[in-house]
Amino acid sequence: MINDKLPKIWYGGDYNPEQWEAPDWAEDERMFKLAGIDVATINVFSWALIQPSEDTYDFSGLDAMMDRLYKNGTYVCLATATGAHPAWMAHRYPEVTRVDVQGRKRKFGGRHNSNPNSPVYRKYAALLAGKLALRYKDHPALVAWHISNEYGGYDYSEQSAAAFRVWLQERYGTLDALNKAWNTRFWGHTFYDWEEIVVPNELSEEWNGNRTNFQGISLDYRRFMSYSLLECYKIEYEAIKEHSKNIPVTTNLMGFYPELDYFEWAKHMDIISWDNYPSLDTPVSHTAMTHDLMRGLKNGQPFMLMEQTPSQQNWQPYNSLKRPGVMRLWSYQAVARGADTVLFFQLRRSIGACEKYHGAVIEHVGHENTRVFRECAELGRELERLGDQLLDARSEAEIGIIYDWENRWALDLSSGPSVAMDYVNEVHKYYDALYQQNIEADMIGVEENLTKYKIVIAPVLYMIKPGFAQKVEAFVQAGGTFITTYFSGIVNENDLVTVGGYPGELRKVLGIWAEEIDALLPGMSNQIVMNKEWGGLNGTYTCDLLCDLIHSEGAEVLGQYGSDFYKGMPALTVNSFGEGKAYYVATSPEAGFLQGFLANVCAENNIKPLVQAPEGIESVQRVKDGVSYLFLLNHTEADLSAEMGSALRTDLLTGQTVSGSAVVPSRGVLILKGISNSKAADLYSSVGD
């Protein structure tokens, strides 16, 4: 568990008492008890209050609030407040504000405006974190540390340019190595002195976001900025750990946020936490995939749901209310997929500035007689009854889907072949095809141990990092099934093409080579024509976006293109390699094809759906100490039934026993306790013996 002071699913969220007065605090305390709130995240943006000047610190307000919350039965996730620097710092030390991608120097304002390579910012951030840790390390309310807030944004200042050059020297050693990695003979870019290198912004190489003349330098700058912000986090982490070694430290991530390599960040976090803000029309499978990615950052370790809204957001184009029951449903979706906390932003709604219309447990009306509060209080009571049963329960998925931030950067920066390429969407297509069939998958990084899975899927793995192809070969050789797609194996870690035929280093295991890549315009399509019936996959399916024109080098051709000048060329292949198989999907197919294709591959590997259920039912399972917890979530407005086998299970929320089939009410949740598959296999084996 996160902290044994509170052995249950934590319930609460961001609380900003500094925005209110003493009479409001007393009312908050009363309503926290009514709602079952047991954790408050405080001090997120209080740097200016705690440190009113360079040499002055005032912790009296925070002292009092820590004591008040603990006396009221509320534990504290204590933030370091460094997500927004004070005005005096920007005024006295202008270097602490950023320079944007257009080369404009920022003034004080907003947040995330701190230059991560400013020695002044780093000095005062570390000092504050250390002082907080020294002061509150033994406070009975403290259960977790929260560094800064939602790290993000790049800086293009002279300080960052100088630090970038140092980072490059450490990465490449010599200018000759750098020039080779960046292919600087193109367009006369050869560098003869480190000082000649400038940041790739709109004054040099980049324009319109991810458009760049030189992928090498732009890719490295994204690596460098992720590293720079991580260094800021690590400085505070070390300052805290010097005094508070046993309290877990985190910072709130943002799902598929594009700018930071969260797999690298996860190595330095005691526990992952993240902020979940889907829109009303976000596919529920996309939210599920994001939860699974957060769980996958630390090899399946449970995570903290640090923020979600009780009802509506304030910053999306259309800030719809969560319909009745949806807050509870989406909270349990997070728990089902690995969350050991359910925390909100925010506990009391602000009255001013840009977040005053962001939902809260306590609304502007200020009392408990609201729909939102009633729903929050009911969920609080349920989480109290669940106790510690679900804490630290894990996934037993037998499929891993690879996601890699550096691969995403390289794809986004690529000059071609299609502006419609969206890495996250292409990964989601494969995840969704499994989700719709109630088949579990883990989201994993390229450094993950593949041997724990029967199937590994790597959609659009454009970049092949050193050693990965060999790891795939060993996985398949030993009996694993590997699936990858069009536009994979094209470049190395420096975005230089691997010559000799696509898909480069994956060519051997896949048994094919790709001669050309056709980009289809919007509205254009081709077809995958199956050569023979394979399970439920038969006939013709639509495909679009990109079409690799491939040749078999030993792979069996399962399907071919149906039209255009490459009609009859392979579109789907499988290669037997050692004891395993490697599939290549040479284009982007329709959802029906992917569901049938993955159902067949799962059947080959004896991977079965958790349940048989109509569309709208989400199923996911957590396992702990030989006990399985099967979550059934109904995302529709009608009652639906799920078939789950004859084993007897008990619903943790109602105490009722079910077997065979279960009815899940509209927007309802069942948490069905039973024997895990692995435990059942052990019991079966022992009976056989």
Side-chain angles (χ1 to χ4, degrees):
M1 61 186 69
I2 305 168
N3 190 312
D4 57 12
K5 289 181 181 178
L6 190 56
K8 64 176 289 291
I9 296 172
W10 295 1
Y11 192 53
D14 277 34
Y15 180 45
N16 301 295
E18 68 274 8
Q19 298 179 17
W20 302 88
E21 304 300 333
D24 301 299
W25 302 340
E27 187 65 357
D28 291 341
E29 292 163 9
R30 181 185 72 84
M31 294 180 69
F32 286 179
K33 287 183 177 179
L34 289 178
I37 299 298
D38 46 43
V39 171
T41 302
I42 65 172
N43 200 48
V44 177
F45 291 111
S46 299
W47 196 346
L49 290 177
I50 289 175
Q51 190 177 4
S53 68
E54 186 167 2
D55 302 314
T56 305
Y57 292 86
D58 181 1
F59 295 102
S60 59
L62 188 55
D63 288 346
M65 189 50 58
M66 292 282 288
D67 293 342
R68 285 183 69 101
L69 287 168
Y70 183 68
K71 183 179 179 181
N72 189 57
T74 306
Y75 290 93
V76 170
C77 176
L78 185 57
T80 60
T82 52
H85 56 247
W88 62 259
M89 191 182 297
H91 177 70
R92 187 164 184 177
Y93 301 102
E95 70 167 69
V96 303
T97 59
R98 293 179 180 174
V99 173
D100 70 15
V101 69
Q102 295 178 318
R104 300 174 300 184
K105 177 67 174 173
R106 292 285 305 274
K107 301 291 186 181
F108 175 77
R111 66 178 195 180
H112 299 307
N113 188 22
S114 304
N115 175 357
N117 290 295
S118 162
V120 170
Y121 172 76
R122 290 189 176 191
K123 169 188 170 182
Y124 285 110
L127 274 173
L128 180 56
K131 287 178 180 293
L132 288 165
L134 180 61
R135 191 175 191 92
Y136 299 110
K137 60 185 175 67
D138 296 321
H139 198 288
L142 180 65
V143 290
W145 289 103
H146 180 317
I147 294 178
S148 191
N149 184 74
E150 293 183 335
Y151 278 99
Y154 290 173
D155 171 66
Y156 299 87
S157 66
E158 286 304 314
Q159 289 92 346
S160 288
F164 182 46
R165 290 188 282 268
V166 172
W167 182 86
L168 291 171
Q169 291 179 59
E170 293 174 351
R171 180 176 177 85
Y172 294 106
T174 67
L175 279 169
D176 285 345
L178 178 142
N179 282 316
K180 183 177 180 180
W182 287 359
N183 192 38
T184 56
R185 293 186 183 185
F186 180 80
W187 280 8
H189 270 51
T190 303
F191 296 106
Y192 295 98
D193 190 295
W194 294 102
E195 295 301 315
E196 295 169 0
I197 299 172
V198 299
V199 297
N201 63 1
E202 292 189 10
L203 299 178
S204 56
E205 303 292 359
E206 296 189 17
W207 72 101
N208 292 344
N210 284 318
R211 303 297 300 278
T212 182
N213 297 310
F214 265 81
Q215 281 74 28
I217 187 172
S218 292
L219 178 60
D220 269 347
Y221 202 72
R222 280 148 182 77
R223 289 174 172 139
F224 165 71
M225 285 309 305
S226 181
Y227 161 85
S228 296
L229 287 159
L230 177 56
E231 285 296 291
C232 290
Y233 165 85
K234 287 166 62 178
I235 287 169
E236 292 192 47
Y237 181 94
E238 290 160 5
I240 290 170
K241 287 297 184 179
E242 183 178 350
H243 306 290
S244 180
K245 292 181 172 56
N246 298 321
I247 301 295
V249 179
T250 191
T251 187
N252 47 339
L253 309 181
M254 295 175 284
F256 284 93
Y257 180 71
E259 294 186 345
L260 306 180
D261 182 352
Y262 283 161
F263 278 109
E264 189 62 32
W265 278 65
K267 298 173 184 177
H268 307 279
M269 298 172 64
D270 295 338
I271 186 168
I272 300 301
S273 68
W274 86 284
D275 301 345
N276 180 35
Y277 290 110
S279 301
L280 187 65
D281 59 352
T282 300
V284 290
S285 64
H286 195 285
T287 306
M289 179 176 73
T290 315
H291 286 308
D292 287 354
L293 178 65
M294 296 296 99
R295 187 184 70 240
L297 293 180
K298 287 187 79 69
N299 310 106
Q301 177 182 303
F303 58 88
M304 296 176 66
L305 178 62
M306 184 64 78
E307 292 184 24
Q308 66 170 351
T309 177
S311 184
Q312 69 185 147
Q313 284 118 209
N314 71 291
W315 47 269
Q316 293 180 346
Y318 306 97
N319 293 292
S320 306
L321 297 174
K322 285 183 177 175
R323 270 45 187 174
V326 169
M327 181 278 295
R328 174 180 180 267
L329 178 64
W330 289 2
S331 296
Y332 278 120
Q333 182 189 42
V335 172
R337 296 192 173 273
D340 278 354
T341 72
V342 175
L343 305 176
F344 298 108
F345 182 86
Q346 48 195 333
L347 295 186
R348 178 182 276 272
R349 197 185 273 228
S350 303
I351 61 170
C354 63
E355 289 178 337
K356 61 180 175 292
Y357 297 124
H358 194 293
V361 175
I362 304 172
E363 297 282 6
H364 282 150
V365 71
H367 57 60
E368 64 268 37
N369 300 311
T370 66
R371 175 184 68 87
V372 169
F373 188 89
R374 285 191 294 271
E375 290 193 25
C376 290
E378 177 56 34
L379 179 58
R381 288 189 287 271
E382 287 184 348
L383 295 179
E384 183 67 34
R385 291 196 299 270
L386 286 174
D388 65 353
Q389 293 183 80
L390 298 169
L391 296 185
D392 204 37
R394 307 293 177 109
S395 165
E396 287 189 343
E398 297 177 295
I399 302 173
I401 301 178
I402 287 177
Y403 181 86
D404 183 60
W405 263 272
E406 292 191 356
N407 183 65
R408 178 180 182 178
W409 294 335
L411 276 168
D412 287 346
L413 292 165
S414 176
S415 181
S418 172
V419 296
M421 172 67 68
D422 186 311
Y423 178 52
V424 177
N425 283 349
E426 294 307 300
V427 172
H428 177 245
K429 289 176 183 178
Y430 282 79
Y431 182 94
D432 183 69
L434 294 168
Y435 173 96
Q436 298 300 336
Q437 299 176 86
N438 295 291
I439 298 173
E440 292 185 291
D442 287 342
M443 297 294 295
I444 62 175
V446 294
E447 295 182 9
E448 184 66 78
N449 175 15
L450 305 184
T451 61
K452 61 173 142 177
Y453 299 104
K454 292 181 178 179
I455 301 171
V456 171
I457 307 172
V460 201
L461 198 65
Y462 170 72
M463 174 189 288
I464 302 299
K465 293 180 176 177
F468 183 75
Q470 292 73 29
K471 185 159 71 170
V472 169
E473 288 181 6
F475 169 71
V476 179
Q477 184 85 40
T481 296
F482 179 68
I483 301 170
T484 192
T485 73
Y486 65 94
F487 210 48
S488 291
I490 308 294
V491 300
N492 68 7
E493 75 278 13
N494 296 315
D495 201 41
L496 296 180
V497 171
T498 301
V499 297
Y502 317 135
E505 292 186 71
L506 298 176
R507 183 171 170 179
K508 179 181 175 182
V509 73
L510 292 166
I512 56 103
W513 74 279
E515 181 179 359
E516 297 181 88
I517 304 168
D518 190 22
L520 305 188
L521 275 61
M524 292 178 61
S525 64
N526 204 309
Q527 306 83 39
I528 300 175
V529 181
M530 297 301 295
N531 289 348
K532 59 183 179 181
E533 185 174 355
W534 178 32
L537 209 57
N538 188 29
T540 301
Y541 300 86
T542 300
C543 59
D544 57 17
L545 190 62
L546 292 183
C547 297
D548 281 3
L549 279 55
I550 66 175
H551 305 274
S552 171
E553 295 181 316
E556 178 186 356
V557 178
L558 301 177
Q560 55 191 276
Y561 289 114
S563 61
D564 217 316
F565 74 93
Y566 41 93
K567 177 180 179 180
M569 291 188 73
L572 174 66
T573 62
V574 59
N575 189 46
S576 295
F577 188 86
E579 298 298 315
K581 294 180 178 181
Y583 288 88
Y584 193 77
V585 185
T587 182
S588 184
E590 63 173 276
F593 172 89
L594 286 178
Q595 289 188 27
F597 167 60
L598 291 177
N600 291 339
V601 177
C602 287
E604 289 179 345
N605 285 273
N606 196 31
I607 297 174
K608 300 177 181 179
L610 289 173
V611 299
Q612 297 295 327
E615 184 178 355
I617 289 286
E618 175 179 356
S619 66
V620 62
Q621 186 166 260
R622 294 180 70 173
V623 176
K624 174 183 175 182
D625 299 331
V627 177
S628 72
Y629 299 93
L630 175 64
F631 289 75
L632 299 178
L633 304 102
N634 184 351
H635 294 278
T636 76
E637 296 182 11
D639 296 351
L640 297 175
S641 294
E643 300 293 329
M644 54 182 188
S646 59
L648 192 66
R649 292 176 176 267
T650 303
D651 182 13
L652 297 186
L653 299 176
T654 65
Q656 295 180 345
T657 56
V658 295
S659 175
S661 65
V663 176
V664 189
S666 167
R667 291 177 178 151
V669 178
L670 303 183
I671 307 176
L672 303 177
K673 180 180 178 181
I675 299 175
S676 71
N677 293 337
S678 57
K679 181 68 173 178
D682 291 342
L683 291 172
Y684 180 82
S685 176
S686 65
V687 170
D689 293 340

